Amino acid sequence: MTATRERTRTVRAGRVPAAKDHGRAATGARRPRGSRTAYALIAPGALYLLLVFCSIVLLLLSYSFRTERTSRLFAPFDLGTWSRLLDDAYTVDVLWTTLRVGAVVAVLTVLIAYPVAWCLLRVRRWWLSGLLMFAVCSPILISVVVRSYGWLLLLAPDGLLHAPFGSWLYHEPGVVLALVHVELPFAIVPLFGSLRSLPDGVLEAAADLGASPWRRLRLVLLPLTMPGVIAALQLVFALTVSAFATPSLLGGGRVAVLAQSVYQNIQQLQWPLAAAQAVVLLAVALVVLATFNRLGRLADVRHRAPAGDEREVGA
């Protein structure tokens, strides 16, 4: 009874303690030694990934600031490639298409993945929950090229989905449809983890205060799971803007994205132009992901800020 009253007071005040804070006092004395061990285990792999990433970025920058087609590591510095890229209206249009497809796919995937993750969480039998999670994530075990070809067959004139969605083939809606299916498991996993970390009894306490299901979702569930939503959006967006196989197969050359343009320039030995386009894609993706991080922090700070007055959720 006391615990229920405490949860009710917490929901009424608009503050819900994070689940990770429960064991903070008990593990505080052991944290320094555990942190040093964790850092020691993570450091070699992190340094290796950082070295490889920085080397690739520096190589791309080196190739973008040249005009001659050469594989030499050092070449005369030239801004001609960047001048050509920034003055090309086709590249700007391809970049806009890439960002638009990435944003649409990210939003649609999260909208579909959220109720799926919630349903997986509500399954009480552990073996059934594990079986369903395996069924949801099993498409990752199949090559993205195979899955894209599957959608190509489904939307083809003799395919099962040609009647309702046949006109989407070789157009942007068909690319979006296939990409949502491809990226869906990558959105379900972080959302499921965020939902699973919810404090016990929070939704029940909100219901006791008279909150409708919609208000429970908007005022309790979504703010608490916003880190998972942001993580899912980031992951799906990053994977979508760098996708190559699915837009190439489902777009049929009519839906041009930046990753496909980079590949075509590499085939034509336009290495400086391909490197410049890759740098632009990386920079834009990092800016968008940083914006997502900032929004997530603002939402977290707003959620954890003390409420100015005692307002009931059901008011």
Side-chain angles (χ1 to χ4, degrees), residues 50-70:
L50 183 63
L51 178 63
V52 172
F53 177 77
C54 292
S55 301
I56 293 174
V57 172
L58 291 176
L59 187 62
L60 286 175
L61 289 173
S62 173
Y63 270 86
S64 66
F65 287 104
R66 65 177 72 174
T67 55
E68 61 181 36
R69 304 178 186 180
T70 176

Side-chain angles (χ1 to χ4, degrees), residues 131-146:
L131 184 62
L132 292 175
M133 181 61 73
F134 175 77
V136 168
C137 297
S138 59
I140 301 177
L141 304 176
I142 305 174
S143 171
V144 65
V145 177
V146 176

Side-chain angles (χ1 to χ4, degrees), residues 248-298:
S248 299
L249 293 174
L250 275 299
R254 298 179 181 177
V255 182
V257 294
L258 204 52
Q260 186 178 359
S261 180
V262 171
Y263 175 76
Q264 292 173 351
N265 286 322
I266 292 176
Q267 280 188 321
Q268 299 170 6
L269 301 182
Q270 297 284 348
W271 294 341
L273 183 58
Q277 289 177 334
V279 171
V280 169
L281 179 60
L282 176 62
V284 171
L286 290 178
V287 169
V288 174
L289 295 180
T291 303
F292 276 128
N293 270 334
R294 181 60 178 171
L295 292 175
R297 292 178 181 177
L298 290 176

Side-chain angles (χ1 to χ4, degrees), residues 17-277:
K20 63 181 181 180
D21 294 338
H22 296 335
R24 184 168 294 177
T27 60
R30 294 177 293 177
R31 176 165 295 180
R33 180 180 299 178
S35 299
R36 287 194 296 268
T37 303
Y39 291 148
L41 293 174
I42 294 174
L47 290 176
Y48 173 75
L49 293 176
L50 183 63
L51 178 63
V52 172
F53 177 77
C54 292
S55 301
I56 293 174
V57 172
L58 291 176
L59 187 62
L60 286 175
L61 289 173
S62 173
Y63 270 86
S64 66
F65 287 104
R66 65 177 72 174
T67 55
E68 61 181 36
R69 304 178 186 180
T70 176
S71 59
R72 292 184 301 171
L73 185 60
F74 299 100
F77 182 85
D78 196 334
L79 293 175
T81 300
W82 282 102
S83 176
R84 173 186 172 188
L85 178 67
L86 297 178
D87 292 338
D88 187 10
Y90 174 76
T91 302
V92 176
D93 183 65
V94 169
L95 177 60
W96 168 243
T97 302
T98 304
L99 296 178
R100 183 177 65 248
V101 171
V104 172
V105 170
V107 172
L108 291 178
T109 305
V110 171
L111 289 177
I112 297 173
Y114 201 99
V116 174
W118 174 255
C119 292
L120 290 174
L121 181 68
R122 305 301 292 179
V123 176
R124 297 304 180 185
R125 297 181 180 180
W126 63 270
W127 61 269
L128 182 57
S129 177
L131 184 62
L132 292 175
M133 181 61 73
F134 175 77
V136 168
C137 297
S138 59
I140 301 177
L141 304 176
I142 305 174
S143 171
V144 65
V145 177
V146 176
R147 284 180 282 169
S148 300
Y149 265 117
W151 276 105
L152 188 64
L153 295 176
L154 288 174
L155 298 178
D158 55 347
L160 295 177
L161 300 180
H162 177 73
F165 305 113
S167 60
W168 291 6
L169 184 60
Y170 302 137
H171 292 84
E172 190 170 312
V175 176
V176 170
L177 178 65
L179 284 173
V180 168
H181 169 255
V182 170
E183 312 299 350
L184 188 60
F186 298 101
I188 292 176
V189 172
L191 288 172
F192 180 80
S194 183
L195 288 168
R196 194 172 184 179
S197 64
L198 287 175
D200 296 333
V202 173
L203 296 179
E204 290 78 1
D208 292 340
L209 291 171
S212 63
W214 166 246
R215 294 184 68 85
R216 273 178 277 167
L217 173 65
R218 185 171 59 91
L219 300 178
V220 180
L221 191 58
L222 282 180
L224 286 176
T225 57
M226 190 55 64
V229 174
I230 297 296
L233 287 171
Q234 287 179 316
L235 188 57
V236 173
F237 180 83
L239 293 173
T240 301
V241 296
S242 59
F244 166 74
T246 304
S248 299
L249 293 174
L250 275 299
R254 298 179 181 177
V255 182
V257 294
L258 204 52
Q260 186 178 359
S261 180
V262 171
Y263 175 76
Q264 292 173 351
N265 286 322
I266 292 176
Q267 280 188 321
Q268 299 170 6
L269 301 182
Q270 297 284 348
W271 294 341
L273 183 58
Q277 289 177 334

